[in-house]
């Protein structure tokens, strides 16, 4: 089966899915994106992802490329045409195509819309969660608007490569004060010795992850103590558990930070329980 992508109004074979060289996403990273989990062919937390997409776009003064309901139809169609059971759907909106000039185009251009989807093995992800993953820490050298989900991801790309070079799966950014902000493409969490779940507040320095929001709700229902506050690398290393959240990872236990084992060096019960219960709390589409 050949993959299909949606590009500016057309469903095209993946190999022929092209955007113009003067697309502002290509030249300036002037655009935003969303990644939504697909489970059993259904979109997970689509409403929240659409709301965040709308927010990211409005922060950059880019119009929604089409009505949300129409976009939902396109997402479903791309998932369907690619025969995605478990996997992800990717949506990218850029300001559009215009002669290269840093300021916004003076004559209105249509925002450019790309949607792709692909399968991701649930068994592989579950096996990884059972084993746990390693993370490394890197200085957070990103701009201050990381609350906007822009395609300007170069620091994240370099951080993830550093993780790979050091044999780890993810990199956790550390701010100037020594507090962990978030991962290259995930939110960071710990469970303290007292059993309190800690994750940085979404008010500064991080993207408000959808998986983070749903995990906070699940933790509340499970009557777990939760604190939304920054935590240092030292606190994370001394924690009972650590884990990360992202739409493509769900809740992923972290067993090692910069080579230091967390807790007993195995995935923790809180992380595994939150992972197991996640889809009871998430909104599963039709
Ligand atoms: N932070 C960053 C920097 C990310 O790229 C992501 C993944 N898109 C997240 C956090 C997690 O967000 P979500 O749970 O919505 O996937």
């Amino acid at each position: 089966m050949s993959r299909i992508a949606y590009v500016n109004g057309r469903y095209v074979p993946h190999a022929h899915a092209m955007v113009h060289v003067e697309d502002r996403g290509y030249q300036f990273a002037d655009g935003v994106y969303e990644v939504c989990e697909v489970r059993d062919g259904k979109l997970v937390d689509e409403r929240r992802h659409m709301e965040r997409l709308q927010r990211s776009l409005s922060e950059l003064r880019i119009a929604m490329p089409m009505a949300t309901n129409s976009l939902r139809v396109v997402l479903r169609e791309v998932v369907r045409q690619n025969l995605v059971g478990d996997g992800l759907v990717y949506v990218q909106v850029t300001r559009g195509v215009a002669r290269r000039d840093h300021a916004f185009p003076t004559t209105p251009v249509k925002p450019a819309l790309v949607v792709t989807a692909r399968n991701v093995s649930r068994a592989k992800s579950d096996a990884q969660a059972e084993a746990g993953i390693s993370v490394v820490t890197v200085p957070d050298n990103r701009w201050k608007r990381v609350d906007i989900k822009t395609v300007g991801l170069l620091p994240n790309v370099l951080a993830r490569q550093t993780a790979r070079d050091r044999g780890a799966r993810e990199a956790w950014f550390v701010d100037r004060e020594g507090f962990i902000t978030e991962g290259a493409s995930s939110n960071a969490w710990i469970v303290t010795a007292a059993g309190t779940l800690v994750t940085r507040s979404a008010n500064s320095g991080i993207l408000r992850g959808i998986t983070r929001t749903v995990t906070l709700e699940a933790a509340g229902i499970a009557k777990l103590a939760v604190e939304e506050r920054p935590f240092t690398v030292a606190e994370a290393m001394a924690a009972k558990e650590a884990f990360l959240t992202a739409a493509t990872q769900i809740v992923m236990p972290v067993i090692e930070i910069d080579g230091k084992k967390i807790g007993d060096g195995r995935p923790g019960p809180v992380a595994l329980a939150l992972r197991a219960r996640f889809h009871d709390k998430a909104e599963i589409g039709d």
Side-chain angles (χ1 to χ4, degrees):
M1 205 247 352
S2 57
R3 288 183 67 196
I4 300 290
Y6 176 93
V7 184
N8 294 322
R10 296 192 314 140
Y11 296 90
V12 294
H14 197 264
H16 301 287
M18 312 279 180
V19 296
H20 195 276
V21 291
E22 286 197 313
D23 186 290
R24 290 178 60 94
Y26 177 63
Q27 297 202 328
F28 297 117
D30 188 1
V32 305
Y33 73 107
E34 279 295 327
V35 180
C36 193
E37 186 197 0
V38 179
R39 198 170 172 89
D40 299 321
K42 294 169 184 160
L43 277 76
V44 178
D45 288 318
E46 182 190 14
R47 178 185 62 83
R48 288 185 168 100
H49 284 281
M50 289 298 103
E51 282 175 8
R52 188 172 63 185
L53 176 65
Q54 218 143 23
R55 177 184 182 276
S56 295
L57 286 169
S58 73
E59 290 297 313
L60 300 186
R61 291 192 276 153
I62 299 174
M64 268 297 265
M66 59 172 68
T68 307
N69 280 343
S70 309
L71 183 53
R72 285 172 170 231
V73 171
V74 173
L75 299 191
R76 273 165 187 64
E77 190 56 20
V78 174
V79 166
R80 192 187 69 77
Q81 289 200 23
N82 287 284
L83 308 179
V84 177
D86 295 327
L88 59 88
V89 60
Y90 175 87
V91 186
Q92 176 173 313
V93 182
T94 68
R95 198 177 304 279
V97 176
R99 195 181 72 179
R100 191 176 185 283
D101 178 9
H102 287 61
F104 298 170
T106 46
T107 51
V109 294
K110 259 175 80 79
L113 171 63
V114 168
V115 181
T116 57
R118 67 177 170 88
N119 279 292
V120 178
S121 162
R122 192 195 293 192
K124 249 192 209 165
S125 170
D126 286 346
Q128 200 164 66
E130 269 172 46
I133 64 159
S134 302
V135 304
V136 296
T137 60
V138 296
D140 196 336
N141 54 2
R142 300 175 300 164
W143 73 327
K144 293 201 173 65
R145 293 307 310 275
V146 294
D147 58 303
I148 307 171
K149 200 165 169 56
T150 81
V151 295
L153 290 173
L154 193 49
N156 311 57
V157 165
L158 296 176
R160 177 64 59 73
Q161 186 58 37
T162 298
R164 182 182 290 177
D165 292 344
R166 296 191 198 157
R169 295 285 309 184
E170 177 62 306
W172 278 4
F173 288 119
V174 179
D175 70 15
R176 282 162 181 268
E177 285 77 46
F179 294 103
I180 289 165
T181 53
E182 64 183 330
S185 66
S186 58
N187 288 118
W189 301 66
I190 56 169
V191 181
T192 66
T196 303
L197 267 177
V198 183
T199 194
R200 192 179 175 106
S201 155
N203 294 333
S204 79
I206 68 166
L207 178 76
R208 188 185 293 273
I210 306 298
T211 320
R212 175 188 175 282
T213 299
V214 175
T215 300
L216 282 172
E217 285 184 11
I221 288 166
K223 304 251 185 309
L224 296 171
V226 178
E227 287 176 9
E228 290 185 66
R229 61 163 174 84
F231 56 90
T232 62
V233 178
E235 189 179 7
M237 284 181 172
K240 209 150 71 174
E241 293 185 33
F243 63 92
L244 56 81
T245 56
T248 50
Q249 307 279 315
I250 317 172
V251 175
M252 185 58 69
V254 170
I255 55 165
E256 201 179 273
I257 301 171
D258 288 341
K260 162 90 174 60
K261 293 247 178 298
I262 306 306
D264 62 4
R266 290 199 303 257
V270 174
L272 290 176
L274 287 168
R275 180 181 178 88
R277 278 189 233 125
F278 182 83
H279 292 96
D280 300 339
K281 189 72 204 90
E283 291 174 8
I284 314 289
D286 43 65

